[in-house]
């Protein structure tokens, strides 16, 4: 299993187990720190579905 598949599996588990706020905190911990990242993540993720997040992850991998 490659890193992309692991990331997709992890995101699906997180979606099922975490609240939206907890998921944003998780994303904050795995991304570079610059400015008010939680606020930025909230704004960026406000209308994102899991499929949108997976598409972004695939593009970055």
């Amino acid at each position: 299993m490659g890193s992309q598949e692991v990331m997709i599996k992890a995101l699906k588990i997180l979606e099922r187990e975490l609240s939206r706020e907890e998921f944003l905190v998780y994303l904050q911990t795995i991304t570079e720190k610059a400015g008010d990242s939680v606020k930025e993540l909230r704004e960026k993720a406000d209308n994102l579905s899991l499929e949108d997040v997976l598409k972004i992850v695939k593009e970055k991998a």
Side-chain angles (χ1 to χ4, degrees), residues 18-44:
L18 299 178
S19 69
R20 184 177 207 131
E21 182 75 18
E22 291 168 331
F23 186 70
L24 290 174
V25 171
Y26 167 76
L27 290 177
Q28 177 192 12
T29 64
I30 65 167
T31 57
E32 294 180 21
K33 308 287 189 272
D36 188 351
S37 57
V38 172
K39 180 180 176 186
E40 291 173 23
L41 283 170
R42 282 189 187 121
E43 291 169 357
K44 290 179 182 180

Side-chain angles (χ1 to χ4, degrees), residues 3-26:
S3 61
Q4 183 174 345
E5 290 87 6
V6 171
M7 181 61 81
I8 291 169
K9 184 176 181 178
L11 288 172
K12 287 180 180 179
I13 292 167
L14 289 170
E15 178 188 39
R16 187 177 64 239
E17 298 295 328
L18 299 178
S19 69
R20 184 177 207 131
E21 182 75 18
E22 291 168 331
F23 186 70
L24 290 174
V25 171
Y26 167 76

